[in-house]
C-alpha cells in the first residue's frame, strides 16, 4: 500500500495553488459578497479550464478520471484560498453520484456539462434541511421518501436563507417528485446518499486543513511584525506555544484526512468511519486555528475589515457542513460501541 502522493499529484496541487493565489484573492472573495448570486460564472469557467470540476468524471464524459486521493489535495488549496465557488457539491459530490447512479442517460447529459464548467449541481444533505448552492444550481439531487431525484432547478421552489458566512449560499427547497426524475430508490438510494455524505464530509475536512494552514500563516506573519517591548510578539514563548499547538493539531488531522481519501477512493469497508474521524479532527484543528489566531491578533479578527475574519468564518461554516462534529462523533461512537458501520482500520478491531 502506497501512502505517499505522486509527483503528478503534487504538481496538480501546486497548479491549483498558483491559480488560486493569482485569481482568488481576498478582495475577490469579499467582492463576491456584494453580488446577487455570490458566484462568478467567469471564475467557474476558468476553474474548469484547469480541470477542477471534472476531476472525478470519467474521461469518456470529458473529465480527468481521477480519484478522491487526487481531489483531496485540490480541496486543501480551495480551503487555503477561502474559495466559495461550489466545488464541493458539484465536483466532489454530484459528479461521482451521477457517475455511479446507474442512469446512463443522466450521466451522459450532465457529466460533460459539469466537466466543461457549464453546469452546477447542488445536492441535499441528509444531516441538514438546507441545500447549499441551490440558488445557482442548474440541477438538484434531492431526497423524498425512499427515492433520490434529479430535479432541474426550474422545477423546484427555492427559498434563500440567511447564513453566518456571507460566502455561503443556503436555501430550502421544495419540489413535487416526478417518476421521470427518480434516479434511485430504497437501498440503492440509501447507498448513494451515504456515499454522497462521505464525499462531502471528506471535501470539507480537506478544506478545513487548508483554512487552518492559512490561519497559521497569518498568525506567524502578524506575530513576526507586531512588536511589544521592542521585540516581535512571536518571540515570546507563550505565543510560540499557541501557534505550535495548532500546527500539531493540523498534522494530526492531515493523516486522518489522507487516510479517509484513500478509503473513499477504494470504497473500503470502514469508509464512513474513516471519513468521520477526518471530519472531527480537521474540524477541531480549524476551530483551534481560528480561536488561537484571534488571540494572537489581539482580537482584531472580530472586525470585518481584518482579513483573518474571512477564514475564521469559513472554519466555523465548514464545521457545520456535511455533518457537524457532534453528528460525526455520534456515528463514530455507534461504530465503536453499538455495532454500527464497520470500524476496522489499520488493524484496529473494536471490542466485541
Amino acid at each position: 500500500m502506497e501512502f505517499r502522493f505522486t509527483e503528478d499529484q503534487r504538481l496538480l496541487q501546486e497548479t491549483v495553488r498558483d491559480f488560486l493565489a493569482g485569481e482568488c484573492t481576498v478582495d475577490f472573495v469579499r467582492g463576491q459578497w456584494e453580488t446577487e448570486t455570490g458566484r462568478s460564472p467567469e471564475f467557474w469557467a476558468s476553474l474548469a479550464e484547469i480541470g477542477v470540476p471534472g476531476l472525478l468524471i470519467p474521461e469518456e464524459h470529458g473529465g480527468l478520471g481521477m480519484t478522491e486521493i487526487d481531489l483531496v489535495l485540490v480541496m486543501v488549496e480551495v480551503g487555503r484560498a477561502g474559495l466559495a465557488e461550489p466545488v464541493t457539491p458539484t465536483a466532489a459530490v454530484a459528479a461521482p453520484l451521477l457517475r455511479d447512479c446507474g442512469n446512463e442517460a443522466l450521466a451522459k447529459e450532465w457529466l460533460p456539462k459539469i466537466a466543461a464548467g457549464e453546469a452546477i449541481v447542488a445536492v441535499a444533505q441528509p444531516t441538514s434541511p438546507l441545500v447549499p448552492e441551490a440558488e445557482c444550481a442548474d440541477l438538484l439531487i434531492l431526497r423524498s421518501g425512499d427515492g433520490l431525484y434529479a430535479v432541474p432547478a426550474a422545477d423546484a421552489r427555492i427559498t434563500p436563507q440567511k447564513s453566518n458566512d456571507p460566502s455561503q449560499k443556503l436555501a430550502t427547497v421544495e419540489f413535487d417528485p416526478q417518476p421521470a426524475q427518480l434516479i434511485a430508490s430504497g437501498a440503492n438510494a440509501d447507498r448513494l446518499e451515504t456515499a454522497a455524505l462521505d464525499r462531502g464530509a471528506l471535501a470539507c475536512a480537506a478544506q478545513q486543513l487548508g483554512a487552518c494552514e492559512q490561519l497559521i500563516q497569518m498568525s506567524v506573519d502578524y506575530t513576526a511584525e507586531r512588536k511589544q517591548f521592542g521585540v516581535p510578539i512571536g518571540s515570546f514563548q507563550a505565543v510560540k506555544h499557541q501557534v505550535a499547538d495548532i500546527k500539531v493539531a493540523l498534522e494530526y488531522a492531515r493523516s486522518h484526512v489522507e487516510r479517509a481519501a484513500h478509503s473513499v477512493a477504494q470504497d473500503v469497508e470502514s469508509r464512513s468511519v474513516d471519513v468521520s474521524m477526518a471530519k472531527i479532527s480537521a474540524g477541531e484543528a480549524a476551530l483551534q486555528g481560528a480561536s488561537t489566531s484571534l488571540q494572537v491578533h489581539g482580537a482584531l479578527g472580530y472586525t470585518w475589515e481584518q482579513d483573518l475574519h474571512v477564514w475564521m468564518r469559513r472554519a466555523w461554516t465548514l464545521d457545520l457542513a456535511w455533518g457537524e462534529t457532534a453528528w460525526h462523533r455520534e456515528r463514530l461512537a455507534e461504530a465503536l460501541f453499538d455495532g454500527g458501520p464497520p470500524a476496522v482500520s489499520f488493524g484496529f478491531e473494536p471490542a466485541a
Side-chain angles (χ1 to χ4, degrees):
M1 186 178 292
E2 177 62 74
F3 284 104
R4 289 177 299 183
F5 291 102
T6 65
E7 185 176 339
D8 287 344
Q9 289 167 333
R10 290 298 186 189
L11 181 60
L12 171 65
Q13 181 182 23
E14 291 172 11
T15 300
V16 174
R17 180 185 302 178
D18 292 344
F19 171 81
L20 293 177
E23 302 296 329
C24 183
T25 63
V26 69
D27 289 338
F28 171 79
V29 174
R30 290 181 182 277
Q32 291 303 100
W33 296 353
E34 309 302 327
T35 65
E36 182 177 355
T37 64
R39 300 293 176 260
S40 168
E42 295 78 15
F43 186 93
W44 189 253
S46 298
L47 208 58
E49 289 179 3
I50 60 173
V52 171
L55 276 173
L56 300 184
I57 293 176
E59 294 182 19
E60 60 264 33
H61 292 302
L64 298 180
M66 294 182 172
T67 73
E68 285 77 6
I69 298 174
D70 306 285
L71 180 71
V72 75
L73 295 176
V74 172
M75 297 310 298
V76 169
E77 300 310 318
V78 169
R80 188 197 312 278
L83 178 66
E85 296 291 327
V87 180
T88 292
T90 299
V93 180
L97 192 157
L98 293 169
R99 179 196 65 197
D100 298 340
C101 72
N103 187 325
E104 290 296 328
L106 194 67
K108 190 174 181 180
E109 177 183 0
W110 287 97
L111 290 181
K113 292 181 182 177
I114 294 173
E118 298 171 354
I120 290 173
V121 185
V123 183
Q125 303 174 23
T127 59
S128 172
L130 302 173
V131 182
E133 311 299 338
E135 291 178 76
C136 64
D138 302 285
L139 182 74
L140 300 105
I141 308 296
L142 303 170
R143 185 73 187 247
S144 180
D146 73 342
L148 204 58
Y149 296 82
V151 184
D155 295 340
R157 299 180 291 281
I158 300 169
T159 305
Q161 303 292 334
K162 292 183 179 179
S163 171
N164 177 56
D165 183 349
S167 292
Q168 188 182 42
K169 298 300 176 185
L170 300 174
T172 52
V173 179
E174 298 176 281
F175 75 109
D176 301 315
Q178 304 296 323
Q181 299 168 344
L182 182 68
I183 59 176
S185 60
N188 193 32
D190 293 342
R191 177 185 64 83
L192 290 171
E193 188 175 54
T194 301
L197 172 62
D198 288 343
R199 289 194 174 96
L202 172 64
C204 281
Q207 287 182 78
Q208 287 167 314
L209 294 185
C212 188
E213 287 183 345
Q214 179 65 13
L215 288 164
I216 292 173
Q217 188 61 55
M218 295 175 82
S219 298
V220 170
D221 291 345
Y222 180 79
T223 57
E225 181 181 336
R226 177 80 166 86
K227 293 185 177 179
Q228 279 189 339
F229 309 113
V231 297
I233 62 173
S235 64
F236 299 144
Q237 196 171 49
V239 176
K240 285 182 182 177
H241 284 182
Q242 286 197 73
V243 179
D245 284 345
I246 315 175
K247 182 65 174 174
V248 171
L250 170 67
E251 297 308 322
Y252 175 77
R254 193 188 308 279
S255 61
H256 284 164
V257 173
E258 293 176 358
R259 166 68 200 193
H262 176 272
S263 298
V264 173
Q266 300 296 321
D267 194 20
V268 303
E269 191 179 24
S270 61
R271 182 196 69 199
S272 292
V273 171
D274 293 338
V275 167
S276 284
M277 291 178 64
K279 186 67 162 55
I280 293 167
S281 57
E284 289 178 342
L287 293 178
Q288 183 181 352
S291 175
T292 301
S293 297
L294 179 64
Q295 287 186 333
V296 301
H297 275 76
L300 285 175
Y302 273 127
T303 63
W304 281 103
E305 292 77 11
Q306 169 59 248
D307 291 343
L308 175 63
H309 201 99
V310 174
W311 280 272
M312 285 173 55
R313 283 192 181 257
R314 194 57 51 83
W316 299 335
T317 299
L318 288 169
D319 187 57
L320 301 175
W322 296 96
E324 60 183 308
T325 297
W327 187 90
H328 283 286
R329 284 189 186 281
E330 187 174 342
R331 184 163 76 162
L332 183 58
E334 182 185 357
L336 293 175
F337 306 113
D338 299 330
V344 178
S345 185
F346 285 113
F348 169 74
E349 294 276 359

